[in-house]
Amino acid sequence: MHRHTFPDDLLEAQTAWYVTYGQLATAPSASSASLRRRLLRLSRQIVGHPYWRTPAGTPAARVALKERALTLAAGPRS
């Protein structure tokens, strides 16, 4: 069971951030500009999310969001 409950759009944005970051790591330099722009857009969306202005938006919640999103970005394990 998860201790923190995150809005779907926040969890989706953080997961997309990790997926995009992974794509950037292997992308040819010609396509990296659009991926960098996407990372910046996702970063603004994550940092500016209203969730962080609630009592639940603690530093521990930020860590939990990143951990959960990284797991989701990694995909199912075989």
Side-chain angles (χ1 to χ4, degrees):
M1 175 155 186
H2 298 291
R3 182 175 163 218
H4 300 279
T5 302
F6 299 107
D8 290 340
D9 63 329
L10 180 57
L11 184 56
E12 289 167 6
Q14 186 68 62
T15 303
W17 192 96
Y18 282 118
V19 169
T20 304
Y21 188 83
Q23 292 170 342
L24 182 61
T26 60
S29 59
S31 63
S32 66
S34 65
L35 291 170
R36 286 193 308 273
R37 283 191 298 274
R38 179 167 166 74
L39 277 179
L40 288 171
R41 188 177 76 254
L42 288 166
S43 294
R44 285 190 299 269
Q45 182 180 348
I46 293 162
V47 170
H49 197 281
Y51 176 82
W52 304 121
R53 294 188 293 276
T54 70
T58 64
R62 290 184 187 269
V63 172
L65 173 68
K66 290 178 180 185
E67 289 172 348
R68 193 161 329 147
L70 188 56
T71 300
L72 291 171
R77 296 182 185 206
S78 305

